Amino acid sequence: MTQPTQSSSRSDINLDQTTKTEECKENISNVQRVWTSLLAGATAGGLAKTVIAPLDRTKINFQISQKPYSAKAAVVFLINSFQKEGLLSLWRGNSATMARIVPYAAIQFTAHEQWKRILQVENPETAVPVKRLMAGSLAGVTSQGLTYPLDLVRARMAVTLKSEYKTLRQMILRIYKDEGFLAFYRGFTPTMLGVIPYAGTSFFTYDTLKHLVAEYSHYTSEIPGMTTALSLLCGAVAGVVGQTSSYPLDIVRRRMQTAAIKNRHYQTVTSTIVKIYKCRI
C-alpha cells in the first residue's frame, strides 16, 4: 500500500487547521467579533505608532518644509532634536498620536471586518477584487472621518517646540480660540481622498498575501517563527503599497493642517498642489 508523503500530510494538517479556524469564526457572534476587533486594532495601532514615532515626526517635518529630503538630513534632524530638547522630544506629539491612533486603529480594524461582512467578501477565494478594495476603502473613510481632529492636532504638535505647546489640551484650546471649530477639519478633503486608495490597497494587499501564505504554508510550517515572520512581511508590504499610493495627498493634507503655524496659506486642495509644484519643494 502506498504511504502518504510527509508534504501531503502537512497539507492535510494545515487544511484541517484552516477549517477549524473558519468554524471558530462562524461560532463567534458579531458582537464578540466587534469587541475582539476593537481590542486587536487598538493594541496593534498603539504599539506600531509608538515604535516609529521619531521617524513619523521626521517625516511630517520634511513634508511641510522647503528643505529637500535625504537620509542624511533626516538623521541630522533627529540628532538636533535630541541635542536641543532631549530624547523624549523624538516622541513629541506621541500623546496626541495615541489619543488618535488607538480609536482610529480600533475603528478601522473593526469597520473592515464589518464592511467585509456587509459586502460578503470574507472569503478571499470567492470574493470579487473590487468589493475587497471597497471594504478596505470604506473602513479607512469610517475611521478617518471619526478621528480626524486628533490627526490635525498630532501634526501640529509634531512641528512645534515644547516651549510653544506643552500639552495636547493646550494645543486644542489654542486652535479653537484662534481659528475656530472648523480649523479642526482643515485638510479634511485631501485626507479623505488619500485614505480611499491607502486603506483600500493596503487591506487588499494584506488579505491577498495572507491568503497566499496560508495556501503555501506546508513549505514553511516546520520552520520555527516563520509564520509570524511572514505575517509581519505581509503587513510591511501592504503598508508600503498603501502609503505609496496615497503619499502625494498625504503631503497636501500636512501642509493644510499646519498652515496656520507656519504662517502660510493653503486654502484648497487644488491651490495647495499648485503651490507645492511651483515651489518644487
Side-chain angles (χ1 to χ4, degrees), residues 23-279:
E23 288 176 353
C24 289
K25 286 183 178 180
E26 291 178 359
N27 292 331
I28 296 176
S29 68
N30 193 49
V31 174
Q32 291 175 316
R33 183 177 298 186
V34 167
W35 281 109
T36 54
S37 297
L38 284 171
L39 181 60
T43 304
L47 287 174
K49 279 295 184 180
T50 299
V51 170
I52 67 167
L55 296 177
D56 198 35
R57 187 186 178 195
T58 304
K59 180 196 75 170
I60 293 174
N61 273 274
F62 276 100
Q63 284 179 330
I64 68 167
S65 172
Q66 296 185 15
K67 297 178 182 178
Y69 170 81
S70 67
K72 181 180 179 181
V75 172
V76 169
F77 172 80
L78 290 170
I79 293 174
N80 287 340
S81 297
F82 170 72
Q83 291 177 339
K84 292 179 180 179
E85 299 186 274
L87 179 63
L88 292 181
S89 69
L90 300 179
W91 277 264
R92 174 163 171 73
N94 196 52
S95 59
T97 299
M98 291 299 101
R100 170 189 171 264
I101 201 62
V102 169
Y104 172 83
I107 294 170
Q108 185 181 52
F109 197 92
T110 305
H112 185 235
E113 292 295 318
Q114 294 305 307
W115 281 116
K116 285 199 299 182
R117 184 178 64 84
I118 293 170
L119 296 174
Q120 299 179 343
V121 292
E122 293 180 287
N123 189 346
E125 293 181 348
T126 59
V128 179
V130 174
K131 285 189 175 183
R132 290 168 59 198
L133 279 169
M134 285 179 60
S137 297
L138 289 169
V141 169
T142 301
S143 55
Q144 190 68 263
L146 292 174
T147 62
Y148 183 76
L150 290 169
D151 183 45
L152 180 138
V153 175
R154 183 267 179 277
R156 292 203 178 185
M157 290 197 72
V159 300
T160 56
L161 299 175
K162 188 176 181 180
S163 58
E164 296 178 272
Y165 301 99
K166 294 182 179 180
T167 65
L168 176 64
R169 179 176 176 273
Q170 185 181 13
M171 174 68 80
I172 292 173
L173 292 175
R174 185 68 177 271
I175 294 173
Y176 179 74
K177 180 181 178 180
D178 293 349
E179 303 172 58
F181 178 76
L182 291 180
F184 289 105
Y185 287 89
R186 191 184 301 277
F188 185 74
T189 300
T191 299
M192 288 297 103
L193 293 175
V195 78
I196 292 173
Y198 171 76
T201 55
S202 59
F203 275 119
F204 176 84
T205 303
Y206 180 73
D207 283 344
T208 301
L209 292 176
K210 187 173 67 173
H211 174 67
L212 289 174
V213 168
E215 187 176 349
Y216 294 99
S217 62
H218 56 276
Y219 293 113
T220 60
S221 59
E222 292 186 349
I223 304 176
M226 182 57 69
T227 301
T228 301
L230 288 174
S231 295
L232 288 171
L233 180 61
C234 290
V237 173
V240 169
V241 172
Q243 188 68 58
T244 302
S245 67
S246 64
Y247 193 75
L249 286 168
D250 192 38
I251 293 179
V252 173
R253 74 165 172 147
R254 293 307 188 193
R255 294 291 179 93
M256 294 181 72
Q257 286 177 337
T258 59
I261 288 179
K262 296 299 180 179
N263 293 321
R264 296 174 184 171
H265 301 284
Y266 299 108
Q267 301 298 331
T268 66
V269 176
T270 304
S271 64
T272 302
I273 292 173
V274 171
K275 286 182 180 180
I276 293 172
Y277 177 76
K278 285 183 176 180
C279 292

